[in-house]
């Protein structure tokens, strides 16, 4: 049982369960989130905020979110 849990935790950091991603919503807009393969994060397209996934656990605390527009503007500078 412990071995199985370690395997699950190891793989959990790479992606998020599809069922879980269908249930989760943005804590600010209450709209669905999408998983971004490039950044390995959950993105709220409605308000342009990205929420990180740490060790397979989505961090949906509003202060953990990053505004996507600011990141795009910073890369242009």
């Amino acid at each position: 049982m412990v071995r199985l849990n370690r395997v699950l935790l190891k793989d959990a950091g790479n992606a998020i369960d599809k069922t879980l991603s269908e249930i989760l919503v943005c804590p600010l807009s209450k709209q669905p989130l999408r998983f971004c393969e490039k950044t390995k994060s959950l993105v709220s397209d409605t308000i342009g905020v990205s929420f990180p996934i740490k060790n397979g656990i989505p961090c949906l605390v509003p202060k953990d979110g990053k505004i996507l527009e600011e990141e795009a503007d910073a890369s242009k500078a």
Side-chain angles (χ1 to χ4, degrees):
M1 184 66 124
V2 173
R3 177 177 282 167
L4 178 63
N5 287 339
R6 286 184 184 170
V7 170
L8 290 174
L9 286 173
K10 180 182 174 189
D11 293 338
N14 298 329
I16 190 164
D17 183 66
K18 185 175 180 176
T19 306
L20 183 59
S21 67
E22 292 172 354
I23 296 170
L24 294 176
V25 297
C26 174
L28 302 170
S29 69
K30 309 299 186 246
Q31 297 300 312
L33 295 167
R34 71 172 170 84
F35 178 71
C36 178
E37 287 286 335
K38 181 180 176 185
T39 60
K40 303 288 188 215
S41 63
L42 292 171
V43 177
S44 173
D45 292 321
T46 307
I47 59 173
V49 175
S50 173
F51 296 95
I53 298 174
K54 298 178 183 175
N55 297 323
I57 302 170
C59 300
L60 298 178
V61 177
K63 70 178 183 105
D64 289 340
K66 294 182 180 177
I67 299 173
L68 296 175
E69 292 176 354
E70 286 183 3
E71 290 175 9
D73 291 343
S75 64
K76 292 178 185 176

